[in-house]
Structures are given as structure tokens and as C-alpha cells.
Amino acid sequence: MSKTVKLKKGFDIKLVGKAEKQILDFQPAKTFAIKPTDFPGLQRPKVTVNEGDTVKAGTPIMFDKAMDRVQYVAPVSGEIVEIKRGDKRKLLEIKILADSKISYESFDKYSGSTLQSLSKEDAIGQMTKSGVWPQIIQRPFGIVANPEDTPKAIFISAFDTNPLAPDYSITLQGEENNFQAGIDVLSKLTSGKIHLNLNAEGETPSVFSNIKGVEVNKFSGPHPAGNVGVQIHHLDPINKGDIVWTVSPYGVCQIGKLFLEGKYDASKIIAVTGSEATKTGYFKTYVGACADTLVEGNLKQNHIRVVSGNVLTGEKISKNGYLGFYANQITIIPEGDYEEFLGWIKPSTTKLSFHKAIGLLSFLNKGKEYVVDTNTHGEERPFVVTGVFEKVLPMDILPTYLFKAIISEDFDEMEELGIYELIEEDVAICEFVDPSKNELQGILRNGIELLMYS
């Protein structure tokens, strides 16, 4: 039964630099990279190619020894130019010099009618060998799903409330048939429901209209209303022993395209955002693209930080770094490596803050957009119990006590306080408002790994 959920807790981070609704004409990236660090839970990556090898889009380039059925594949065709390793030979990235024209590995094609007769085993077989399986994320733990498991339900968040989030009506334009085909394939993988969660306050993009085989729910409220973890909590909470899967709208379309066209198509439209970008908008590229062509010549100043993703959960990369596997935007903001005398206590009319004593205009002018940098305006200090986390996290969880349980490695308390319902993106807003400046996303991941590997 469909639900409409109205959330009051949360905080919208309104920044300057939202993507203009235009397709930008940047030079295409020449190199692309797959980074094992993009996949939480990937334990022992095994490289299956060598430097100098030529690959097609969809050619396997690595797998996880702990789950060797799932292949991680090349997003483009070209030459393997570097297999970069760090300390103790840890695999950092596999870099590909792309061909001017992409060629593809061939997989089985299905029409709309033959998709209906597709078996679960055949669906999983094609998805795991072709490279689309990593689009399916397991909750709890936020790791690539195990194809041997059967989830009780699958959840898709069809809107994004993160800062400067891209517009799905642009990034998924014309993907209606692929999205429906992706839903048809995913329906083979669970006996439960597929939940498609829409924004109750905005116009629904056409790609999500008239979709069959899903239960449509609507959510309203400030960020993190668009986080799939928050939506799961209000629709069908995760208890110990439960397994649910989540898929992004892009991931659903990519799965559908694999079965309709018989190829692994890693093309995607990403948003170029941020206050320090001269031009903002949208750009068509491929998964793992080098950011150099998006950054060079597109800066208002040079002292900046480039983020693969959004400012809350994204990864800092260099100007010639590579977009993450799951990133759907690149954000360019000022670097904040400076000291400010009493910066944590001085009231200001130019700062964005959840705390009224500091960010006065954040509350007097709720529609104002702000230029923010990376400065934390304070040092890390012991936890201060202020109750602020409970004001921005719309879940029946006590975050402060959960973080303390993780730090003290109290497994029973972690489970009782709801760690199975959370991954990093769910507590990112807590990290933003935290007066103690703790790296809460890192603390949570440490707790998750303690439970996973204990």
C-alpha cells in the first residue's frame, strides 16, 4: 500500500552553483579509471588485466576474491595504461586510455516480452558478468549485494535532496523504456516489493511516470528526505537479519539497457556544480571519467577543492582526478585551509549554519544561497551532548549514543541503537551540524566494519 510521509526534521543546505539546465560542451575525457575504494566491502580485489592490454566496454578488469562471481568491468574501450598501487601493493585504480569510438562486449538481448519469461538465475548471471551488478547495494552495511542472497524488498529513491543535486529530468531524459526494463529485471530478484519513492513537493520527472511493477511512495521535507536509508526507515525498517537492496535511478536504467541492447553502457550525464565553477550545467561522459576537462578553464580562482559527488558525502579529488563509480555530479568550492580567530563563536550574516547563534540569516532568509568553503571553523573535540543530531536526522535513532557505542566497540549497544539502518550518507547531515567537528561518517563505517568482520 502506497504511503505519503511528511518529514519535519532535517536541514536544507542551499549553496551557490546549482547546475544550469543546459548541456555543456566540454572536451571529452581521454582517460577513465575504476577505483576499488569506490566499493565499500570489496575485500580482496584481483586484477584480471595487465598494463598494455586492450579492452572493450564491459570487459572484466577485476573481481573480489571474496565474491568472485561479481565482475567489475571497463567503462570504456581502450588500453590499460596504468595499474596504480599504494602501500603494501594496495590496488588504488585501474586507468584506461579511451578509444575515440567506444566498442562494446556483447551480451544477450531481450525484448519486452522475453523479459517477462526471464528466470532469476539468467538475470543474475547476465548482471554479474556484465558489470551492472555493483549498482545493487545491500542494506545493512552499504556494500555491493551478494547475488546469493534474496532481499525482502528493493528500494529506489527517485529524488535527491543533497546540496546542488542534479535534476533527474535532465540526467535521465529519454530513459523511460530502459527504466521500465530495469524494474522488470529487478522484480525477478525479490519476492517482495519494489518501492519507488518520489518527491511529494516537486514535479515528477517523466522517466518515473506510469512505471509498472512498483509501489509508489511519496516523501516531503528537508534533507535527508531524499536518502533511501531514511525512506526505508519509514516504510519497512531493517532489523537484525534483514536484507534489503537499493538501486539508484541511473543503476536501474543501466540494468534495463543491458538487457534491451545487450551491452554494458556506462555513459551518464553528470552535473557540473559549485560556486567556483565558471560554467555550471550538465555534461555527457562515462563512469570514472577524468575531471581535468571539466575543471581546466572552468575556474573562478585556483585555490579550490574538487569533489567527486556532493559536498556532504563526496570524495576530494585532484584537478586531474577521477569521478567515483557512483558519482552523479562534480562540485567545485573554495578551499578552506585558513585559520579564523574565534570563528566558531562569532555570529555572522554570511555563514550558512544550522545553529541560530552563528548563522543568523540562515533562519531569517531561508531562500538565500551561500558560498561555503571547506573550513570546519573549529577543531575536533570530545562529544558535546546537545541534541542537535536528533533535530536533523528524521529517524527513531539516538545518534550521539550510537557513535559513543561504536567508539567503545560495544556491539550490543550498536545493534540496539540502530546501526543496521545507517550508512555514511544518512549521518552526513549530522556531521555538518556537529559542534564537536567529529568525522561521524568515518566513525560509522568503522562500526559497520566491526560488525561485518567480527
Side-chain angles (χ1 to χ4, degrees), residues 27-101:
Q27 289 292 322
K30 294 181 179 179
T31 58
F32 297 78
I34 291 295
K35 299 176 288 185
T37 52
D38 287 340
F39 308 100
L42 196 157
Q43 300 176 43
R44 294 178 293 162
K46 173 67 175 178
V47 180
T48 57
V49 292
N50 297 306
E51 292 183 1
D53 288 354
T54 57
V55 294
K56 295 181 180 180
T59 299
I61 59 175
M62 72 176 185
F63 64 89
D64 186 353
K65 291 181 181 179
M67 194 164 61
D68 57 7
R69 190 177 179 185
V70 178
Q71 298 292 322
Y72 297 80
V73 305
V76 295
S77 62
E79 179 186 353
I80 304 293
V81 292
E82 183 180 6
I83 299 175
K84 187 176 180 180
R85 296 184 181 273
D87 294 340
K88 298 181 180 179
R89 291 189 54 78
K90 179 181 179 181
L91 180 62
L92 301 179
E93 63 187 27
I94 302 174
K95 190 184 300 183
I96 303 169
L97 178 63
D99 294 334
S100 57
K101 183 177 180 181

Side-chain angles (χ1 to χ4, degrees), residues 112-358:
S113 58
T114 55
L115 273 180
Q116 302 306 316
S117 59
L118 179 69
S119 69
K120 177 181 178 180
E121 292 72 22
D122 289 342
I124 292 175
Q126 173 132 313
M127 293 170 69
T128 52
K129 70 182 181 182
S130 64
V132 301
W133 187 267
Q135 293 290 348
I136 303 177
I137 301 299
Q138 173 198 301
R139 297 283 187 117
F141 307 142
I143 58 178
V144 175
N146 188 334
E148 304 300 324
D149 293 333
T150 300
K152 70 172 183 176
I154 296 175
F155 293 82
I156 303 161
S157 178
F159 68 107
D160 191 343
T161 52
N162 279 294
L164 304 177
D167 186 344
Y168 284 146
S169 65
I170 297 176
T171 60
L172 300 178
Q173 187 175 11
E175 296 285 343
E176 289 81 1
N177 290 338
N178 293 327
F179 190 84
Q180 181 64 69
I183 294 294
D184 294 341
V185 173
L186 291 172
S187 68
K188 310 291 182 181
L189 309 183
T190 179
S191 57
K193 298 176 180 177
I194 298 178
H195 295 272
L196 180 64
N197 305 322
L198 303 176
N199 187 353
E201 299 177 336
E203 184 177 346
T204 301
S206 61
V207 68
F208 305 127
S209 300
N210 305 315
I211 297 299
K212 300 176 182 178
V214 298
E215 181 172 285
V216 176
N217 308 286
K218 294 189 176 182
F219 286 79
S220 64
H223 181 71
N227 282 10
V228 70
V230 171
Q231 297 164 6
I232 293 171
H233 177 83
H234 289 275
L235 296 174
D236 191 4
I238 301 171
N239 298 308
K240 185 176 182 179
D242 288 344
I243 291 178
V244 302
W245 289 350
T246 68
V247 191
S248 70
Y250 169 78
V252 177
C253 293
Q254 191 183 47
I255 292 168
K257 189 176 293 186
L258 167 69
F259 283 84
L260 292 181
E261 300 182 9
K263 66 180 182 181
Y264 174 74
D265 187 350
S267 64
K268 67 191 310 183
I269 296 176
I270 67 163
V272 181
T273 65
S275 62
E276 303 313 294
T278 305
K279 296 183 292 184
T280 64
Y282 295 85
F283 176 67
K284 187 172 182 180
T285 185
Y286 295 85
V287 168
C290 185
D292 55 358
T293 60
L294 303 175
V295 175
E296 292 177 4
N298 192 33
L299 299 177
K300 294 180 180 178
Q301 56 148 320
N302 289 322
H303 197 53
I304 52 90
R305 178 173 297 188
V306 181
V307 181
S308 169
N310 64 71
V311 295
L312 287 181
T313 62
E315 174 193 12
K316 176 185 175 180
I317 61 174
S318 64
K319 294 178 183 179
N320 59 353
Y322 294 89
L323 298 181
F325 183 85
Y326 300 104
N328 57 10
Q329 69 184 100
I330 182 173
T331 309
I332 307 172
I333 58 175
E335 188 59 79
D337 53 351
Y338 58 88
E339 294 185 2
E340 184 179 11
F341 181 66
L342 295 181
W344 58 275
I345 200 171
K346 290 190 300 185
S348 172
T349 59
T350 60
K351 291 180 181 177
L352 171 65
S353 175
F354 180 76
H355 305 281
K356 294 181 181 179
I358 299 174

